[in-house]
Amino acid sequence: MRFDFHHGRDLIRLFAGPSRKAATQDGGGALGSRRRRDPALRLLDAVMRLAGPEAELISHAERPWASATFSGTRHTITLSFAGHPGITAGEAFIALLPDHEFHLPGRLVADAGVSEVTHLTQPRPLMVVETDLLLLNEI
């Protein structure tokens, strides 16, 4: 799945809830006038922007996470990078991800890393990158 971040809001359309008009007609009131974006969607959007236009989203999984003092979610995002330009972009993404400072309102990315990289050469060069990110709720 390829997303165009320069000319559209593909992720928002893909994962968005009911439209403002529908929320207002269904008695959504304040919901219809001011809809919040899901933190997982904000994180996915930020990761895709960091990965660049050569990246294709393969999967995203989210599961709850908690410690004695913090709560949040752990995210596994898998991306593919095709062809030589894609592999170059994927290598740059791998280098940037661990130290990237994400700006997500009300959330903190406490840990971001690459858990697995798979390279394929046939029928064309392809690199698949699996990432793990820990998203904490700010107190």
Side-chain angles (χ1 to χ4, degrees), residues 6 8 29 36 38 43-44 48 52 56-57 60 71 75 77 103 115 127:
H6 301 291
R36 288 190 218 173
D38 184 328
L43 177 65
L44 189 56
M48 292 302 295
E56 291 190 41
L57 177 65
H60 169 248
S71 66
H75 298 260
I77 299 171
H103 300 283
S115 57
M127 180 168 61

Side-chain angles (χ1 to χ4, degrees), residues 6 21 24 32 35 45 59 89 97 101 116 122-123 125 127 130:
H6 301 291
K21 186 175 180 182
T24 304
R35 200 170 62 183
D45 181 58
S59 67
L97 181 65
E101 191 170 321
E116 185 176 335
Q122 296 295 328
M127 180 168 61
E130 184 175 290

Side-chain angles (χ1 to χ4, degrees), residues 62-100:
E62 175 183 1
R63 61 188 180 281
W65 181 91
S67 70
T69 54
F70 298 101
S71 66
T73 51
R74 184 161 289 283
H75 298 260
T76 301
I77 299 171
T78 305
L79 306 173
S80 70
F81 298 87
H84 294 295
I87 290 174
T88 301
E91 290 169 348
F93 172 71
I94 289 169
L96 292 172
L97 181 65
D99 296 323
H100 183 72

